[in-house]
Every structure is written in C-alpha cells, then in structure tokens.
Amino acid sequence: MLQVSKLIPQGQGLAPVLVRRAAHLELDWDVRQKSRFDAVSSDGRRVGVFLPRGTVVRGGDVLVTQDGSLLRVVAAPQPVLRITACTDHHHGHAHEPAFDLMRAAYHLGNRHVPIELRPDHLKIEPDHVLADMLRSMHLTVAEVREPFEPEGGAYAAGHGTGHDHGHSHEHAHGHDHAHGHGHPHAHEHG
C-alpha cells in the first residue's frame, strides 16, 4: 500500500500539466475531513493517507505519495441538500432572497452544521429535520448529488493551524484588500 503524508493545498507551486496528468482520488466529505484514511486511486493503487491531525482535504488538493507520485483529490458528488431562496413571495424587495439565505446560514451555524456557502445557495448534508425547518422559513430545499466543500470553521478542529496554506496565502494579500474598502467610502462623500 502506498503511503501519503504530504498534502499540497490546491497543488500550489506544481506545474498544472503534472497535476492534470496525475491519478486522482475521488473522496466524499466524510473521508476528506479525516486526517487518516485508506482509498483506491483512479489507476487502481491502494493508498494509505496519514496527514497531520485536523487536516481537512479539499477538492483540488494534491497528495504526494512516498514514491513521489502525485494524486489529485476530487470532491466526489454525494447526497446534499441545496438550499435556495424562494422567489415566489417577494414584494419587490431586492434583498430578500439574500437575507433569507443569510438567515438560514445563521440558524444552521447555530447548530454547528457544516455548510457550503455560495453567493446564491447553501449546501448541507441531508437532514430531514433541518430540511423541514428551512422550508418553514420559505426556502427551497432540493436533494441533489454534488461535491460538498463546507466552510472551514469551529467544527473542523485545527483547520487553520498552519496547514491550510491556501487561506493564509490569501490573507497575505489582505493589505491591498483593506485599502479597497477605504476608497469607495471616500468617494461616497464626494
């Protein structure tokens, strides 16, 4: 069995052609949130993954095996609930759908449910109690099979502990981002 103990977030620094050519592991969220698991790669090799505790594996990450070969991680489609704002009963208020989704995210977050946040929808793992609650809040809940990439948060213990290079890299650009907020504000006075 091939051992894997190294993860390159989103394949950063690797030649895209190498990543494209690599065999892949198609893994659902249940497996990707574990730091130790066994899997079979697309080319039929058995792989034992041993990553630092608390590591969350994301679709697009690249695993490096002990023999130096690369394995691209693919987020497997799995049963999820896709939650969208219901557009039937709005009375001309442009922000209601976004507000309805924000409210749903708040209520789900209070229950520490892993949520994938998108601009126009939310995704959670199937749960008929939550589905009923969301429908009672006038949201549309559909059962679909799609990849699930929930937000890193409190439930993903140790998610931000020096492992998640992708996110810490984005924060490095935070200075430009902060300036961006100042300018529109200044223009509003003009």
Side-chain angles (χ1 to χ4, degrees):
M1 184 177 343
L2 269 180
Q3 303 289 319
V4 167
S5 55
K6 184 172 189 229
L7 180 148
I8 302 173
Q10 302 302 301
Q12 280 180 353
L14 295 171
V17 62
L18 286 179
V19 176
R20 276 199 305 275
R21 230 184 268 153
H24 65 268
L25 288 180
E26 193 167 323
L27 309 168
D28 68 16
W29 171 243
D30 278 348
V31 175
R32 284 183 289 116
Q33 61 184 317
K34 296 184 176 112
S35 42
R36 288 160 171 67
F37 56 87
D38 293 343
V40 178
S41 64
S42 58
D43 56 2
R45 291 178 295 170
R46 293 205 42 228
V47 182
V49 177
F50 300 91
L51 295 168
R53 289 215 177 277
T55 300
V56 173
V57 181
R58 300 279 177 189
D61 286 352
V62 175
L63 300 169
V64 184
T65 65
Q66 72 208 24
D67 68 2
S69 58
L70 304 177
L71 289 170
R72 188 166 37 89
V73 175
V74 175
Q78 64 184 80
V80 287
L81 298 180
R82 196 174 202 279
I83 302 147
T84 48
C86 177
T87 49
D88 295 345
H89 48 74
H90 291 303
H91 315 289
H93 299 301
H95 291 297
E96 279 187 28
F99 179 76
D100 289 347
L101 279 180
M102 198 191 315
R103 206 165 116 231
Y106 170 81
H107 285 287
L108 292 168
N110 265 348
R111 288 163 176 78
H112 302 287
V113 174
I115 315 174
E116 180 173 341
L117 299 173
R118 294 285 170 185
D120 61 343
H121 68 275
L122 308 172
K123 279 191 236 176
I124 61 170
E125 291 175 291
D127 181 311
H128 66 91
V129 174
L130 293 176
D132 290 347
M133 175 191 84
L134 292 161
R135 288 185 181 111
S136 74
M137 293 164 63
H138 306 293
L139 289 150
T140 303
V141 180
E143 295 182 30
V144 295
R145 283 186 64 83
E146 293 180 358
F148 184 48
E149 290 283 10
E151 284 291 297
Y155 66 89
H159 183 57
T161 51
H163 179 79
D164 198 355
H165 303 300
H167 293 298
S168 46
H169 183 67
E170 286 163 30
H171 291 307
H173 299 295
H175 299 301
D176 309 336
H177 191 64
H179 295 304
H181 288 302
H183 299 305
H185 186 69
H187 295 306
E188 283 166 28
H189 296 301

